[in-house]
Amino acid sequence: MKLSKIISVAMLISVALSCFALHPEAGKYSYQFLNVHSDPAMIAMGGRGVHALMDKSAFSLQPAIGAVKAHQNLGVSYMSWLDDSAYNQIYYSSSDRISHFGITLRNLDYGKVESRDETGMFLGYYHPLDLSVMCNYAHRITPSIFAGANLGVLYEKLATASSLGAHADLGLTLLPPIENSSLSMTVRNLGAATKVNEERGLLPLSFETDLGKYWEWENATFGMEVAAVKAVDEYLKFSVASQISIWDKLYLRGAYKIKQDPKSLSAGIGFRLRNIDIDYAWAANSSGLNDVHSFGLKWNF
């Protein structure tokens, strides 16, 4: 129980810190790509859905969740993001309901960017890049308590400048005595990175809570999740998401995000063909920004 007690204390601290106002030096928080995910099932559920998607790449958001349900799969996803940027991910996830091991590679590709001198003369192109490789381990502490941790390395390159760092997440998932319900708490983006052009960027530390409940019928399952996220450089944000599963073959997903303009609505659909999952998601953007589209494949074995 020692590990779960340590993580519980961390979660209580996160609740206290979640009441803080916007950080006065929010502009110094870098590596925001750590809070972006390309998995279409996640995007359709407002960037969360950690309980409904515990057998997908949800461990990248909630380190303990992967151990709750037995599974083994390999997945890839692609997201067309703002302008010409693209977010790619590949992950492996394996659980026997006692422990979970996962690994994920995330890459945010900004495409070609023009380089010009102080007079505006064109010098050529450079290719900015954000990259993270992260491993997960989770374990069942008791039949209703799961604890986990993520540990990863990150790399960021902008023109000729680059940065290398390490990041970690801590998570706890509880199965309350309410049928088909779950509660998760997470501290994400702990760590540090090297300086870029003599300035050290700070990781966007985030405190997150997810509450889920689902109902089962003969051929369908309906689940709802509520999430609260407090990053140190943002106001407290909320989301409400749902997923309907029909015959374990068709999945309909949607979410509404509160205090997260210009990206409040998202939706998606998924199909299971034998042991292959095919997912698509759309997320709205306003203020002249592109809508987000994401596609994913998952092989269950």
Side-chain angles (χ1 to χ4, degrees):
M1 292 292 292
K2 290 183 179 180
L3 177 59
S4 63
K5 287 182 179 179
I6 292 172
I7 297 180
S8 296
V9 171
M11 300 309 155
L12 291 175
I13 294 173
S14 77
V15 172
L17 290 177
S18 67
C19 299
F20 288 2
L22 182 67
H23 196 282
E25 297 182 340
K28 291 188 177 181
Y29 286 84
S30 305
Y31 316 101
Q32 296 290 343
F33 78 100
L34 294 174
N35 291 327
V36 180
H37 298 269
S38 66
D39 189 318
M42 281 187 182
I43 294 172
M45 298 191 72
R48 306 299 302 174
V50 297
H51 299 131
L53 311 174
M54 61 179 64
D55 60 344
K56 289 179 178 284
S57 63
F59 68 87
S60 63
L61 277 181
Q62 203 332 303
I65 200 68
V68 177
K69 182 178 181 179
H71 63 274
Q72 187 174 19
N73 52 58
L74 178 68
V76 296
S77 58
Y78 165 83
M79 177 177 69
S80 62
W81 208 32
L82 307 178
D83 295 324
D84 296 326
S85 62
Y87 205 120
N88 309 292
Q89 177 181 242
I90 180 170
Y91 67 89
Y92 170 77
S93 179
S94 177
S95 169
D96 59 5
R97 292 203 73 242
I98 300 296
S99 61
H100 172 270
F101 172 77
I103 185 169
T104 179
L105 168 66
R106 289 176 284 170
N107 168 37
L108 177 55
D109 186 347
Y110 294 89
K112 291 183 178 180
V113 178
E114 290 186 357
S115 176
R116 297 180 181 274
D117 62 17
E118 296 179 354
T119 65
M121 179 177 293
F122 177 71
L123 301 177
Y125 294 94
Y126 63 94
H127 205 130
L129 176 69
D130 288 327
L131 181 68
S132 167
V133 180
M134 186 172 69
C135 292
N136 167 268
Y137 180 77
H139 192 76
R140 185 175 70 182
I141 307 300
T142 74
S144 59
I145 300 176
F146 299 80
N150 293 330
L151 180 62
V153 295
L154 60 86
Y155 175 75
E156 186 174 68
K157 183 178 181 180
L158 179 65
T160 59
S162 63
S163 175
L164 185 66
H167 61 104
D169 313 322
L170 298 175
L172 187 70
T173 293
L174 310 176
L175 304 181
I178 301 174
E179 186 178 10
N180 298 332
S181 64
S182 49
L183 172 66
S184 292
M185 295 167 286
T186 318
V187 178
R188 295 185 56 247
N189 302 331
L190 300 160
T194 58
K195 293 182 179 180
V196 179
N197 291 333
E198 303 305 320
E199 292 189 11
R200 187 181 302 278
L202 303 175
L203 272 63
L205 189 64
S206 182
F207 308 97
E208 305 167 1
T209 301
D210 297 88
L211 176 64
K213 173 80 169 108
Y214 69 90
W215 296 264
E216 294 181 305
W217 292 274
E218 183 176 352
N219 296 314
T221 301
F222 173 72
M224 288 199 67
E225 296 191 20
V226 178
V229 177
K230 176 63 178 75
V232 291
D233 58 342
E234 295 181 347
Y235 291 110
L236 183 63
K237 300 184 296 185
F238 302 91
S239 64
V240 179
S242 63
Q243 174 178 267
I244 300 174
S245 170
I246 303 173
W247 299 304
D248 277 332
K249 301 293 184 183
L250 173 65
Y251 303 88
L252 304 175
R253 306 178 179 107
Y256 180 75
K257 292 172 280 189
I258 303 168
K259 295 185 178 180
Q260 297 188 51
D261 289 336
K263 45 185 180 179
S264 57
L265 292 174
S266 59
I269 189 169
F271 303 93
R272 174 162 293 179
L273 306 175
R274 295 183 181 272
N275 60 341
I276 301 294
D277 288 2
I278 304 171
D279 294 303
Y280 165 76
W282 161 86
N285 266 327
S286 59
S287 302
L289 301 176
N290 300 342
D291 287 352
V292 171
H293 300 275
S294 177
F295 304 87
L297 290 174
K298 179 169 72 80
W299 175 37
N300 306 286
F301 53 94

